[in-house]
Every structure is written in C-alpha cells, then in structure tokens.
Amino acid sequence: MRKTARHASLAAAGLLALSSLTACANNAASSTADTGSGGGGGKGTSVKIMVGGLDKVIYLPAMLTQRLGYFQAEGLNVQLLSEPAGVQAETALVSGQVQGAVGFYDHTLDLQVKGKSVESVVQFSHAPGEVEVVSNKAAGDLASPKDFKGRKLGVTGLGSSTDFLTKYLAVKNGVKVSDFTPVAVGAGPTFIAALQKGAIDGGMTTDPTVATILDKKAGKILIDMRTPEGSQEALGGPYPSSSLYMQTDWVNGHKETVQKLANAFVKTLKWMSTHSADEIAAKMPADYSQGDKALYAQAIKSTLPMFTDDGVMPQDGPETVEKVLKAFNPNIQNAKVDLSKTYTTEFVNAVK
C-alpha cells in the first residue's frame, strides 16, 4: 500500500475564481525566486512550484533546497514562484499552471470534497507555525479566542489556512464564525500596518512577521502554534501544515520526478535539523532578512520546532486536520473524507 495509516495532516481553502488566475500567475512569474547556488535555470527536468509566500519561514524548505543545490543535484530544473497566500498557490495548482504547490496540507482535504484529487507528497511540518497576535490597543480586552466576538481579525487571505484556523479557534471557544470579521491583510508590512492602524484588532500570521511585530512592540502573542506542544494545546493534536502537494494524477504519471523532489526536500529537512538558525539564515537570499540579520535568524529559530526531519506525515495528523475543518466548514462537515488519499508516504519512505 502507498499510504501509511500511521501518519497525518492539516486543512484549508476554497478555490478562487478562475477568472483571476491569469493575473495571479503573472504576478507570481514576476517574483520568480532568486536561484542562488541552487540554480533555477539550466538543464534537467523542469518543474514549476508555487509557494504561498516564499519569504515565510513556514515555507523556508522550498527556497533553502534551491540554495543548497539539492534540486540541481537531482537533475531537476525547479522554478519557484510566489503568491502571498496558500489559497492562491492551490488555485495555480488545480488550474495546471504549476506542477506542485508548497502550502498547507489542509488544502488536500478541502479540494477532495470539491472533487479534486490532490495529495501531500512531502510533509515539512507537524505544527502550523502560526501565531495569533493582538494589537497593544486591543490586548486588554482580547485575552483569548473567547473574546473574538465583534473583532476584526487579520488573515492572509479569505479561504486561507489562517482563515480556517482562526474560525476553528473561535468555534472551539464558543464564538460563532458570524460573530467576528476576518480581514484579508496578507503578511509582512501589510499585516503589520493593519495592526498598527487599527484596521484589525489582531490576527494570525507567521515568522518573520511575528518577530518584526514583537521587535516593533506593535503587538503581543495570544496563541503560539510554532511548536508541536503549542499545536497540541490549541488544536488537540499534531497539525501537519506546510507541505509539497501535487495533483494525484500528475504524481502517478511522473513518479521518477516526484521521487527526485522528495529526495531533495528530505535532504534539506535533515540538513535543517543539524544546523543552527544562524547557519540556515546565512543560506537564504539577503533580502529575506529585510536589513536585520539577527532578527531574521531569531524568526527562524522560533519556527524551527514545527519542521519534520524526514518529510513523513505525523501520526494522527490528518485526523486532527479533519477534526479542525469539520468544526466550522460546512463542506467538510457534510462530506466523507478519505484521508488515505490526501497524502502519500511512498516517496519519502523511498529516500535513501
């Protein structure tokens, strides 16, 4: 059997209107990754991968694999593209504009109930890597998700994993989804500006945005899900999030290429597990640190606990993701999800 019942996953987003796809793809193409030592051009099997934010630490293995030269070593010519939210990476994948997406595993469940067969082939994480922050102004009255009612809460995009996790935290704590307003503010400077200007009272984001908010003293941490312990406390179990996921038909028709991708990514995850945050930061594009290398290294250090070192789906992970999605998502509440079809360990188990 290709699937291993002992492993698990996370949940996410709705499809964007296909009419907006071309614009998304054009935007992404304009932000093609700095290929660094890994090289994005040259000979080899060509693969396009859309990432839900190349500079987000939760998706760091994508660019790091490029920079370490591991794609090239496998005979792959990988082009990394970037969109600000995982839901947009998902859309590019199902439209056939790219062969792979680096985003949250939860998209595979959401897409299955919409009739799309997509699976995680390398699981980067066993925790969301997400943080719920609150503005200094709102901190006095917004002390837990029980206080979400009437609030404007920032998410990267509507239908994104941050949107879904925010809704779950609300419902889990007795607040209806209709009782608060999710606001799409992206990540980085747009998220921070919204927090400082009062456009949002709080919101869910990742590093390096979290590190910058704390450094600027623009807000405080309400819930920290960057570690397996934080995931367990907030969500009740391991929460597989960032992953490489692909359309199942494409995987089955290109197994040699998928194996090479798995080889490269698992090699990176193992490298990350034996190197410091400073060493990892030094390998990344210079502009990712936004002029503060120490702060960027700290952001990586804070998020490192979320990553696996073998690319394997964490045990009971998919079940946690399904439970989270069923708590608020009517599409999944009323559907039977075959979790065994949302991920495969065939390729990571074959890595030597």
Side-chain angles (χ1 to χ4, degrees), residues 260-327:
K260 289 177 178 179
L261 287 166
N263 293 346
F265 277 124
V266 171
K267 193 173 180 181
T268 296
L269 291 169
K270 290 188 184 301
W271 188 93
M272 289 170 60
S273 72
T274 58
H275 288 76
S276 69
D278 286 325
E279 290 171 320
I280 295 170
K283 290 289 184 183
M284 301 301 285
D287 61 337
Y288 281 24
S289 67
Q290 297 181 353
D292 193 331
K293 292 181 180 179
L295 188 64
Y296 181 58
Q298 179 57 48
I300 292 174
K301 184 177 181 180
S302 298
T303 304
L304 275 178
M306 74 173 279
F307 293 107
T308 68
D309 63 2
D310 56 10
V312 176
M313 180 64 75
Q315 188 171 359
D316 300 330
E319 289 79 6
T320 305
V321 172
E322 183 182 28
K323 178 198 73 174
V324 166
L325 292 182
K326 279 185 176 293

Side-chain angles (χ1 to χ4, degrees), residues 97-108:
Q97 297 197 6
V98 295
Q99 289 77 52
V102 169
F104 268 39
Y105 158 78
D106 54 9
H107 295 277
T108 67

Side-chain angles (χ1 to χ4, degrees), residues 132 134 138-149 151 153 169-170 173 175 221-223:
E132 184 74 20
V134 58
D141 301 318
L142 184 47
S144 85
K146 294 178 182 178
D147 303 320
F148 280 179
K149 187 172 183 178
R151 299 292 183 171
L153 300 174
L169 291 174
N173 287 275
V175 178
I221 290 177
L222 194 64
I223 299 171

Side-chain angles (χ1 to χ4, degrees), residues 216-255:
K216 290 178 176 289
K217 296 180 171 52
K220 301 173 182 177
I221 290 177
L222 194 64
I223 299 171
D224 193 339
M225 295 179 287
R226 291 177 291 187
T227 66
E229 295 78 15
S231 176
Q232 178 71 42
E233 183 178 351
L235 306 173
Y239 204 77
S241 55
S242 56
S243 65
L244 170 68
Y245 62 88
M246 312 178 90
Q247 296 203 63
T248 302
D249 285 347
W250 199 91
V251 171
N252 292 337
H254 301 81
K255 289 197 172 189

Side-chain angles (χ1 to χ4, degrees), residues 121 255 259 262-263 266 310 312 345-352:
V121 295
K255 289 197 172 189
Q259 186 63 61
N263 293 346
V266 171
D310 56 10
V312 176
T345 58
E346 174 184 351
F347 302 98
V348 292
N349 285 340
V351 174
K352 296 180 175 61

